[in-house]
């Protein structure tokens, strides 16, 4: 029996993972492997030149024991776009979706029951492998899907957590911040460590061109609820286009009757926010209690309680994801 007590965001070994190889001509059909260790040349481009892309999505167990995934087509599309930017042969959406379904179903017993609030995190990835030395794309590639049961990404869960603005940059306006490439996350390791060492849940990046606007959180998008009742979130060329954020904007408009807008959020605009949060697949929604930057503190709804609009959005989003609420949008695929 798998133990789902105290699930955090760590790896639990499961039965199977999926692997497929591109030999320079086309993607093989791939199959399930019991071992998640891989053997690749140490000359691989993924190791030296970060020719690597990945995705993150989740499988949910409903009260009735069904297994379902959320907006898988969007992850498949984004993965294809990421491959394109990293010069990795595009993984067809059908291969991506079939591989995810196969891997989830091979690890059914690792999907936490509804009452735990846990999920099965799904991590598709693609790597440049083989023998390379100069800065050029690999001749061979691996596409894989890993899964593991998880709980909250940020320890606070749905309780508010403090964040700090870092003066380091993660991505440039014409760089790869909008692409889910491992390279972006390498740049984020140090600012994330600094934030943790100072007692913050994570850091928030400013736009790297002017350092005056909110860009995003290290592992999630940023959103706010203005004091006059709008859902706002940064418009920026260098942030990951979050599927969770897109879903929250739709829910805010349709279910809460709130305007939802991508806008430039200047530092001083934070003073107009009643509530703020971080959103993403791993983060779900984590309310932000306050943001510190140099000698300034921007304080939001509460240090200890989730704000009312953030809570409504959380209930709607997770209600659909876990199958407690009917999905009017076709976001759910039952496996
Ligand atoms: N921003 C970053 C840097 C992320 O790593 C993630 C996680 O995937 C997100 C935003 C949220 O994106 P999504 O909602 O598609 O998971
Ligand atoms: C996700 O939310 O799926 C991500 O990929 C973020 C990662 C840092 C865990």
């Amino acid at each position: 029996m798998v133990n789902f007590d105290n699930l955090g965001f760590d790896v639990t070994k499961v039965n199977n993972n999926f692997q497929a190889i591109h030999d320079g001509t086309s993607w093989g059909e791939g199959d399930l492997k019991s071992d998640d260790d891989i053997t690749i040349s140490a000359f691989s481009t993924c190791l030296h030149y970060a020719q690597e892309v990945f995705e993150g999505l989740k499988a949910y167990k409903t009260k009735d024991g069904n297994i379902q995934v959320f907006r898988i087509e969007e992850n498949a599309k984004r993965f294809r776009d990421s491959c394109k930017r990293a010069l990795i042969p595009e993984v067809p959406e059908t291969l991506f979706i079939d591989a995810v379904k196969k891997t989830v179903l091979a690890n059914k017993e690792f999907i936490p029951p509804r009452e735990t609030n846990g999920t099965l995190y799904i991590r598709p990835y693609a790597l440049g492998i083989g023998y390379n030395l100069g800065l050029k794309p690999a001749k061979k590639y691996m596409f894989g899907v890993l899964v593991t049961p998880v709980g909250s990404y940020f320890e606070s869960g749905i309780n508010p957590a403090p964040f700090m603005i870092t003066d380091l940059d993660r991505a440039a306006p014409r760089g790869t911040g909008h692409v889910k490439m491992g390279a972006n996350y390498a740049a984020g390791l140090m600012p994330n460590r600094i934030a943790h060492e100072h007692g913050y849940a994570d850091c928030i990046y400013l736009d790297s061109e002017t350092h005056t606007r909110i860009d995003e959180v290290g592992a999630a998008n940023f959103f706010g609820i203005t004091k006059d009742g709008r859902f706002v979130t940064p418009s920026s060329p260098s942030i990951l286009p979050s599927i969770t954020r897109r879903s929250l904007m739709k829910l805010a408009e349709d279910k809460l009757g709130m305007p939802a807008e991508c806008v430039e959020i200047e530092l001083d605009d934070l003073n107009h926010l009643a509530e703020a949060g971080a959103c993403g697949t791993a983060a779900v929604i984590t309310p932000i209690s306050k943001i510190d930057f140099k000698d300034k503190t921007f304080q939001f709804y509460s240090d200890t309680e989730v704000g009312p609009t953030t809570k409504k959005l959380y209930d709607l989003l997770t209600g659909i994801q876990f199958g407690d609420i009917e999905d009017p949008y076709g976001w759910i695929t039952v496996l």
Side-chain angles (χ1 to χ4, degrees), residues 9 54 56 121 123 153 180 185 219 280-283:
F9 202 80
F54 68 97
Y121 186 76
R123 171 55 61 84
Y153 181 77
K180 209 159 168 59
Y185 295 80
T281 298

Side-chain angles (χ1 to χ4, degrees), residues 78 170 180 185 216-221 240 242-244 279-281:
R78 191 169 65 188
R170 163 187 182 274
K180 209 159 168 59
Y185 295 80
E216 71 174 329
V217 181
N221 274 181
L240 191 76
S242 158
I243 297 163
T244 313
C279 66
T281 298

Side-chain angles (χ1 to χ4, degrees), residues 63-279:
K63 276 187 195 128
D64 304 333
N66 288 334
I67 297 165
Q68 51 190 41
V69 289
F70 183 69
R71 304 197 77 172
I72 186 170
E73 297 85 2
E74 296 299 319
N75 293 96
K77 262 189 232 150
R78 191 169 65 188
F79 194 64
R80 242 184 119 135
D81 290 344
S82 300
C83 288
K84 228 185 263 181
R85 179 62 177 84
L87 295 185
I88 293 174
E90 287 171 44
V91 174
E93 284 155 38
T94 48
L95 173 58
F96 180 99
I97 291 171
D98 288 350
V100 168
K101 286 183 179 172
K102 214 182 259 182
T103 316
V104 171
L105 291 175
N107 295 291
K108 270 185 195 165
E109 68 266 40
F110 292 93
I111 311 178
R114 172 68 188 99
E115 62 275 12
T116 64
N117 257 338
T119 56
L120 190 75
Y121 186 76
I122 306 166
R123 171 55 61 84
Y125 63 91
L127 317 171
I129 59 173
Y131 298 94
N132 293 276
L133 194 54
L135 179 58
K136 52 182 186 284
K139 294 182 213 72
K140 204 172 161 189
Y141 294 87
M142 177 183 284
F143 160 56
V145 181
L146 299 161
V147 297
T148 188
V150 296
S152 295
Y153 181 77
F154 291 116
E155 268 171 33
S156 60
I158 186 60
N159 297 314
F163 286 67
M164 65 167 272
I165 290 175
T166 174
D167 51 12
L168 297 172
D169 292 331
R170 163 187 182 274
R174 294 180 199 181
T176 55
H178 62 296
V179 181
K180 209 159 168 59
M181 291 178 72
N184 298 329
Y185 295 80
L189 288 172
M190 182 185 274
N192 174 272
R193 162 76 62 86
I194 294 169
H196 284 165
E197 282 173 354
H198 289 84
Y200 298 97
D202 201 349
C203 61
I204 295 177
Y205 294 93
L206 297 177
D207 75 288
S208 60
E209 194 173 9
T210 69
H211 297 109
T212 58
R213 299 188 290 266
I214 300 295
D215 228 19
E216 71 174 329
V217 181
N221 274 181
F222 176 85
F223 72 90
I225 309 298
T226 63
K227 289 178 182 165
D228 62 359
R230 286 174 300 125
F231 180 103
V232 291
T233 181
S235 68
S236 163
S238 54
I239 65 173
L240 191 76
S242 158
I243 297 163
T244 313
R245 163 172 106 153
R246 225 175 302 152
S247 311
L248 292 178
M249 292 177 82
K250 183 84 183 136
L251 291 169
E253 279 179 334
D254 283 8
K255 305 289 178 193
L256 305 183
M258 302 177 81
E261 300 158 0
C262 291
V263 290
E264 290 184 348
I265 302 180
E266 303 283 339
L267 273 170
D268 284 346
D269 293 336
L270 295 176
N271 291 315
H272 303 300
L273 299 182
E275 299 174 34
C279 66

